[in-house]
Amino acid sequence: MADYHDAQPTVFVLDFGAQYAQLIARRVREARVYSEIVPFDITVEEIERRKPAALILSGGPASVYAEGAPHMDPAILGLGIPVLGFCYGIQEIALHLGGEIPKTDIGEYGFAELTVTEPSCTLLDGVPETSQVWMSHRDSVGTAPEGFVVTARTGTTAVAAMEDVARGLYATQFHPEVAHTEFGQHIIERFLHDIAGIAPMWTMVNIIDETVERIRAQVGEHRVICGLSGGVDSSVVAAILHRAIGDQLTCVYVDHGMMRLNESDQVVHTFRDNFHVNLIHVDAEDRFLDLLAGVTDPERKRHIIGEEFWKVFFEEATTLEGVQFLAQGTLYPDVIESGNKTAAKIKSHHNLIPFPEGVHFDLIEPLRALFKDEVRAVGAELGLPDEIVHRQPFPGPGLAVRIIGEITLEKLDMLREADAIVRAEIGAWDTERAVWQYFAVLPDIRSVGVMGDERTYGHPIIIRAVASADAMTADWARLPHELLAKMSNRIINEVDGINRVAYDITSKPPGTIEWE
Ligand code: XMP
């Protein structure tokens, strides 16, 4: 992402391998300042070339003395660029500038009470005398380097914050970026806005304007093709490309028939009728169903759908004249790969698209500087409907992974109806969007029931609803019994062929979110 946003002040977050580096970058952006994550071993030359307005050193391993612990070039601390170090970052500053870090092996993990000991301090100005902070460290600084003033302590940590105003160096042992630190965002904003003097310019309007300009410069007079899936990322890519280059954009929506109720109509309506985008809607349901007939193995289903999807897409893409670019919804977290050596590397996404023999398009990735919440905000600002902007994660193979066993049109329709009820009912209850994902699953079993005077032999529907932060782990959502009862009644009364409803109470691990 070289030099993408050098037009405006950029803060570099030096990644020392903390799981917190991304969080820091996001907090900086919440303060309306553009941030990028860079490897801890970034060179002085690179910094002088890119001219970041400030640097933040992330947390990292437990101790600067740990074997193989990452170290920055200390010369960077002398460039006159304001620096803020968190956790490992404070130790790194102390190590390079002559402070002492005794190996006490007395760690501090979790909540701690911070006491500001220097009322006239700069960084912690506005933080009350005592407040709650989040700690996660083993060693800590014992004696601050010369020139530094210690500004705060906790019960176990003598140097919880220190600063050298003359040199523009600031550091905290605690983590201001985590929500548990009461005045964390205040401290970050104090550093960015007041100390480093960076104006809060990273606004939605700015993001859109810059992205639009960037697209125009890259595309010129050429044409761009974009695969729409109905998901947030591809929808925002399409909307912003359309804003930038209008009719030079053609979108292809491959409808594999595994979409939820009315979803395809909504995609087509939004882009064709509201945005007036050139849209090719390929209704390939029959083609996919034919290929899936008799297939029951989950991996095989995924494989067939994935392969056929690109086949259909490229059949369309290659009929268009003069297309040079293929747009892709790569986001910033996809770009940063914090490997175990902590270096932020650029992933090669270019290999992911299975270009057929002899076919090639250059990639355009308009969202590769943005976090997911920024992408949603851009989408909303561009006028995309709420259902798209806040769409839950939905697997590429769609309902195919929620029908256990063979996929038939009849089962798809049954699941679509039941799923629509689940989404409507939980959606109406979950107004704060606290539930990460909710949907219906159709297993490959039938059971006996009774409706009226009649014996039934129908399928059950399983309701799945989970709380999660990132889909890596998840817990089943504690839905109220009344809500479960209402969904059960509605599904059994309204969906032919369903005579039983179950609720999945498995967390991840050991379960997965999807059933296949
Ligand atoms: P699991 O089931 O592995 O799902 O706990 C984690 C997240 O990934 C989504 N998911 C998929 N997304 N193609 C996708 O694009 C897939 O094949 C796929 N399988 C699962 C799932 O919905 C959840 O958010």
Coordinates of all heavy atoms in Angstrom, one line a residue, residues 362-413:
D362 N -5.8 -6.7 -14.6 CA -5.1 -6.1 -13.5 C -6.1 -5.9 -12.3 O -7.2 -5.7 -12.6 CB -4.5 -4.7 -13.8 CG -3.4 -4.8 -14.9 OD1 -2.8 -5.8 -14.9 OD2 -3.2 -3.8 -15.7
L363 N -5.6 -6.0 -11.1 CA -6.5 -5.9 -10.0 C -6.6 -4.5 -9.5 O -5.6 -3.7 -9.5 CB -6.0 -6.8 -8.8 CG -6.1 -8.3 -9.0 CD1 -5.7 -9.0 -7.7 CD2 -7.6 -8.6 -9.3
I364 N -7.8 -4.1 -9.1 CA -8.0 -2.8 -8.5 C -8.7 -3.1 -7.1 O -9.7 -3.8 -7.1 CB -8.7 -1.8 -9.4 CG1 -8.9 -0.5 -8.6 CG2 -10.0 -2.3 -9.9 CD1 -9.3 0.7 -9.6
E365 N -8.1 -2.6 -6.1 CA -8.6 -2.9 -4.7 C -8.8 -1.6 -4.0 O -8.0 -1.2 -3.1 CB -7.5 -3.8 -4.0 CG -7.3 -5.1 -4.8 CD -6.2 -5.9 -4.1 OE1 -5.1 -5.4 -3.9 OE2 -6.4 -7.1 -3.8
P366 N -10.0 -1.0 -4.2 CA -10.2 0.4 -3.7 C -10.3 0.4 -2.2 O -10.2 1.5 -1.6 CB -11.5 0.8 -4.3 CG -11.8 -0.2 -5.4 CD -11.1 -1.4 -5.0
L367 N -10.5 -0.7 -1.5 CA -10.8 -0.7 0.0 C -9.6 -1.2 0.8 O -9.7 -1.4 2.0 CB -12.0 -1.5 0.3 CG -13.2 -1.3 -0.5 CD1 -14.4 -2.2 0.0 CD2 -13.7 0.2 -0.4
R368 N -8.4 -1.3 0.1 CA -7.3 -2.0 0.8 C -6.7 -1.2 1.9 O -5.8 -1.7 2.7 CB -6.3 -2.6 -0.2 CG -5.6 -1.6 -1.1 CD -4.6 -2.4 -2.0 NE -3.4 -2.7 -1.3 CZ -2.8 -3.9 -1.2 NH1 -3.4 -4.9 -1.9 NH2 -1.7 -4.1 -0.6
A369 N -7.1 0.1 2.1 CA -6.6 0.8 3.2 C -7.6 0.8 4.4 O -7.3 1.4 5.4 CB -6.3 2.3 2.8
L370 N -8.8 0.2 4.2 CA -9.8 0.4 5.2 C -10.1 -0.8 6.1 O -10.0 -1.9 5.7 CB -11.1 0.8 4.4 CG -11.1 2.0 3.5 CD1 -12.4 2.3 2.9 CD2 -10.5 3.2 4.2
F371 N -10.5 -0.4 7.3 CA -11.0 -1.5 8.2 C -12.5 -1.7 7.9 O -13.2 -0.8 7.3 CB -10.9 -1.0 9.7 CG -9.5 -1.1 10.2 CD1 -8.7 0.0 10.3 CD2 -8.9 -2.3 10.4 CE1 -7.4 0.0 10.8 CE2 -7.6 -2.4 10.9 CZ -6.8 -1.3 11.1
K372 N -13.0 -2.8 8.4 CA -14.4 -3.2 8.1 C -15.4 -2.1 8.5 O -16.3 -1.8 7.8 CB -14.8 -4.5 8.8 CG -16.1 -5.1 8.4 CD -15.8 -5.9 7.1 CE -17.1 -6.7 6.7 NZ -16.7 -7.6 5.6
D373 N -15.2 -1.5 9.7 CA -16.2 -0.5 10.1 C -16.1 0.7 9.3 O -17.1 1.4 9.0 CB -16.0 -0.2 11.6 CG -14.6 -0.1 12.1 OD1 -13.7 -0.4 11.2 OD2 -14.3 0.3 13.2
E374 N -15.0 1.0 8.7 CA -14.9 2.1 7.8 C -15.5 1.8 6.5 O -16.2 2.7 5.9 CB -13.4 2.5 7.6 CG -12.7 3.0 8.8 CD -11.2 3.2 8.6 OE1 -10.5 2.4 8.0 OE2 -10.7 4.2 9.1
V375 N -15.4 0.6 6.1 CA -16.1 0.1 4.8 C -17.6 0.3 5.0 O -18.3 0.8 4.1 CB -15.7 -1.3 4.5 CG1 -16.6 -1.8 3.3 CG2 -14.2 -1.4 4.1
R376 N -18.1 -0.1 6.1 CA -19.6 0.0 6.4 C -20.0 1.5 6.3 O -21.0 1.9 5.8 CB -20.0 -0.6 7.7 CG -19.9 -2.1 7.7 CD -20.6 -2.6 9.0 NE -20.1 -3.9 9.4 CZ -20.4 -5.1 9.0 NH1 -21.2 -5.2 8.0 NH2 -19.8 -6.2 9.5
A377 N -19.1 2.3 7.0 CA -19.5 3.8 7.0 C -19.4 4.4 5.6 O -20.3 5.2 5.3 CB -18.5 4.5 8.0
V378 N -18.5 4.0 4.8 CA -18.4 4.4 3.4 C -19.6 4.0 2.7 O -20.3 4.8 2.0 CB -17.1 3.9 2.7 CG1 -17.2 4.1 1.2 CG2 -15.9 4.6 3.3
G379 N -20.0 2.7 2.9 CA -21.2 2.2 2.2 C -22.5 3.0 2.6 O -23.2 3.4 1.7
A380 N -22.6 3.3 3.9 CA -23.8 4.1 4.3 C -23.7 5.5 3.7 O -24.8 6.0 3.2 CB -23.8 4.2 5.8
E381 N -22.6 6.1 3.7 CA -22.4 7.4 3.2 C -22.7 7.5 1.6 O -23.2 8.5 1.1 CB -21.0 7.9 3.4 CG -20.6 9.3 3.0 CD -21.3 10.4 3.9 OE1 -21.6 10.1 5.0 OE2 -21.5 11.5 3.3
L382 N -22.4 6.4 1.0 CA -22.7 6.3 -0.5 C -24.1 6.0 -0.8 O -24.5 5.9 -1.9 CB -21.8 5.3 -1.1 CG -20.3 5.6 -1.2 CD1 -19.5 4.4 -1.7 CD2 -20.0 6.8 -2.1
G383 N -24.9 5.7 0.3 CA -26.3 5.5 0.1 C -26.7 4.0 -0.1 O -27.9 3.7 -0.5
L384 N -25.9 3.1 0.3 CA -26.3 1.7 0.2 C -27.3 1.4 1.3 O -27.2 2.0 2.4 CB -25.1 0.8 0.4 CG -24.1 0.7 -0.8 CD1 -22.9 -0.1 -0.4 CD2 -24.8 0.0 -2.0
P385 N -28.3 0.5 1.1 CA -29.3 0.3 2.1 C -28.7 -0.5 3.3 O -27.7 -1.2 3.2 CB -30.3 -0.6 1.4 CG -29.6 -1.1 0.2 CD -28.5 -0.2 -0.2
D386 N -29.3 -0.3 4.4 CA -28.9 -0.9 5.7 C -28.7 -2.4 5.6 O -27.8 -3.0 6.2 CB -30.0 -0.7 6.8 CG -29.6 0.4 7.7 OD1 -28.7 1.1 7.4 OD2 -30.2 0.5 8.8
E387 N -29.6 -3.1 4.8 CA -29.5 -4.6 4.8 C -28.1 -5.0 4.1 O -27.6 -6.0 4.4 CB -30.6 -5.2 3.9 CG -32.0 -4.9 4.4 CD -32.5 -3.6 3.7 OE1 -33.0 -3.7 2.6 OE2 -32.4 -2.5 4.4
I388 N -27.6 -4.1 3.3 CA -26.3 -4.5 2.7 C -25.2 -4.0 3.6 O -24.2 -4.7 3.9 CB -26.2 -3.8 1.3 CG1 -27.1 -4.6 0.3 CG2 -24.7 -3.9 0.8 CD1 -27.1 -4.1 -1.1
V389 N -25.3 -2.8 4.1 CA -24.2 -2.2 4.9 C -24.0 -3.0 6.2 O -22.9 -3.2 6.6 CB -24.6 -0.8 5.3 CG1 -23.6 -0.2 6.4 CG2 -24.5 0.1 4.1
H390 N -25.1 -3.6 6.8 CA -24.9 -4.3 8.0 C -25.2 -5.8 7.8 O -25.6 -6.5 8.7 CB -25.8 -3.8 9.1 CG -25.5 -2.4 9.5 ND1 -24.3 -2.1 10.2 CD2 -26.0 -1.2 9.2 CE1 -24.2 -0.8 10.4 NE2 -25.2 -0.2 9.8
R391 N -24.9 -6.3 6.6 CA -25.2 -7.7 6.3 C -24.2 -8.5 7.1 O -23.1 -8.3 7.3 CB -24.9 -7.9 4.8 CG -25.3 -9.2 4.2 CD -24.9 -9.2 2.8 NE -25.4 -10.3 2.0 CZ -24.6 -11.2 1.5 NH1 -23.4 -11.3 1.8 NH2 -25.1 -12.1 0.7
Q392 N -24.8 -9.6 7.6 CA -24.0 -10.6 8.4 C -23.1 -11.3 7.5 O -23.3 -11.4 6.3 CB -24.9 -11.5 9.2 CG -25.7 -10.9 10.2 CD -26.7 -11.9 10.8 OE1 -26.6 -13.0 10.6 NE2 -27.6 -11.3 11.6
P393 N -22.0 -11.9 8.0 CA -21.1 -12.7 7.2 C -22.0 -13.8 6.6 O -22.9 -14.4 7.3 CB -20.1 -13.4 8.1 CG -20.2 -12.5 9.4 CD -21.5 -11.9 9.4
F394 N -21.8 -14.1 5.3 CA -22.6 -15.1 4.6 C -21.7 -15.9 3.7 O -20.9 -15.3 2.9 CB -23.7 -14.5 3.8 CG -24.7 -15.4 3.2 CD1 -25.4 -16.3 3.9 CD2 -24.8 -15.5 1.8 CE1 -26.3 -17.2 3.4 CE2 -25.7 -16.4 1.2 CZ -26.5 -17.2 2.0
P395 N -21.6 -17.2 3.9 CA -20.6 -18.0 3.1 C -20.7 -17.8 1.6 O -21.9 -17.7 1.1 CB -20.9 -19.4 3.5 CG -21.7 -19.4 4.8 CD -22.5 -18.1 4.7
G396 N -19.6 -17.8 0.9 CA -19.6 -17.8 -0.5 C -20.6 -18.8 -1.1 O -21.4 -18.5 -2.0
P397 N -20.5 -20.1 -0.7 CA -21.4 -21.1 -1.2 C -22.9 -21.0 -0.7 O -23.7 -21.8 -1.0 CB -20.8 -22.4 -0.8 CG -19.5 -22.1 -0.2 CD -19.5 -20.7 0.3
G398 N -23.1 -19.9 0.1 CA -24.5 -19.6 0.5 C -25.2 -20.7 1.3 O -24.6 -21.4 2.1
L399 N -26.5 -20.9 1.0 CA -27.3 -21.9 1.7 C -26.8 -23.3 1.5 O -27.2 -24.2 2.2 CB -28.7 -21.7 1.3 CG -29.4 -20.4 1.6 CD1 -30.8 -20.4 1.2 CD2 -29.2 -20.0 3.1
A400 N -25.9 -23.5 0.5 CA -25.4 -24.9 0.3 C -24.8 -25.5 1.5 O -24.8 -26.7 1.7 CB -24.4 -24.9 -0.9
V401 N -24.1 -24.6 2.3 CA -23.5 -25.2 3.5 C -24.5 -25.2 4.7 O -24.1 -25.6 5.8 CB -22.2 -24.4 3.9 CG1 -21.2 -24.4 2.8 CG2 -22.5 -23.0 4.4
R402 N -25.7 -24.8 4.5 CA -26.7 -24.9 5.6 C -27.8 -25.9 5.2 O -28.8 -26.1 6.0 CB -27.3 -23.5 5.8 CG -26.3 -22.5 6.3 CD -26.8 -21.1 6.4 NE -25.7 -20.2 6.8 CZ -25.8 -18.9 6.9 NH1 -26.9 -18.3 6.6 NH2 -24.8 -18.2 7.3
I403 N -27.6 -26.6 4.1 CA -28.4 -27.8 3.8 C -27.6 -29.0 4.0 O -26.6 -29.2 3.2 CB -29.0 -27.7 2.4 CG1 -30.0 -26.5 2.3 CG2 -29.7 -29.0 2.0 CD1 -30.6 -26.3 0.9
I404 N -27.8 -29.8 5.0 CA -27.0 -31.0 5.1 C -27.5 -32.1 4.2 O -28.7 -32.3 4.1 CB -27.1 -31.5 6.6 CG1 -27.0 -30.4 7.6 CG2 -26.0 -32.6 6.9 CD1 -25.8 -29.4 7.4
G405 N -26.6 -32.7 3.5 CA -27.0 -33.7 2.5 C -27.2 -33.1 1.1 O -26.7 -32.0 0.8
E406 N -28.0 -33.8 0.3 CA -28.1 -33.3 -1.1 C -28.9 -32.0 -1.2 O -29.9 -31.8 -0.4 CB -28.9 -34.4 -1.9 CG -28.9 -34.1 -3.4 CD -29.8 -35.0 -4.2 OE1 -30.4 -35.9 -3.6 OE2 -29.8 -34.8 -5.4
I407 N -28.6 -31.2 -2.1 CA -29.3 -29.9 -2.3 C -30.3 -30.0 -3.4 O -30.0 -30.4 -4.5 CB -28.3 -28.8 -2.6 CG1 -27.3 -28.6 -1.5 CG2 -29.0 -27.5 -2.9 CD1 -26.1 -27.8 -1.8
T408 N -31.5 -29.7 -3.1 CA -32.6 -29.7 -4.1 C -33.3 -28.3 -4.0 O -33.2 -27.6 -3.0 CB -33.6 -30.8 -3.9 OG1 -34.3 -30.5 -2.6 CG2 -33.0 -32.2 -3.9
L409 N -34.0 -28.0 -5.1 CA -34.7 -26.7 -5.1 C -35.8 -26.7 -4.0 O -36.0 -25.7 -3.3 CB -35.4 -26.5 -6.5 CG -36.1 -25.2 -6.7 CD1 -35.1 -24.0 -6.4 CD2 -36.6 -25.0 -8.1
E410 N -36.4 -27.8 -3.8 CA -37.4 -27.9 -2.8 C -36.8 -27.6 -1.4 O -37.4 -26.8 -0.6 CB -38.0 -29.3 -2.8 CG -39.2 -29.5 -1.9 CD -39.5 -31.0 -1.6 OE1 -38.7 -31.9 -2.0 OE2 -40.4 -31.3 -0.8
K411 N -35.7 -28.2 -1.1 CA -35.0 -27.9 0.2 C -34.6 -26.5 0.3 O -34.7 -25.9 1.4 CB -33.8 -28.9 0.4 CG -34.2 -30.3 0.7 CD -32.9 -31.0 1.0 CE -33.0 -32.5 1.2 NZ -31.7 -33.1 1.3
L412 N -34.1 -26.0 -0.8 CA -33.6 -24.6 -0.8 C -34.8 -23.7 -0.4 O -34.6 -22.7 0.4 CB -33.0 -24.2 -2.1 CG -31.6 -24.5 -2.4 CD1 -31.2 -24.3 -3.8 CD2 -30.7 -23.5 -1.5
D413 N -35.9 -23.9 -1.1 CA -37.1 -23.0 -0.8 C -37.6 -23.1 0.6 O -37.9 -22.2 1.2 CB -38.2 -23.4 -1.8 CG -37.9 -22.8 -3.2 OD1 -37.0 -21.8 -3.3 OD2 -38.4 -23.3 -4.2

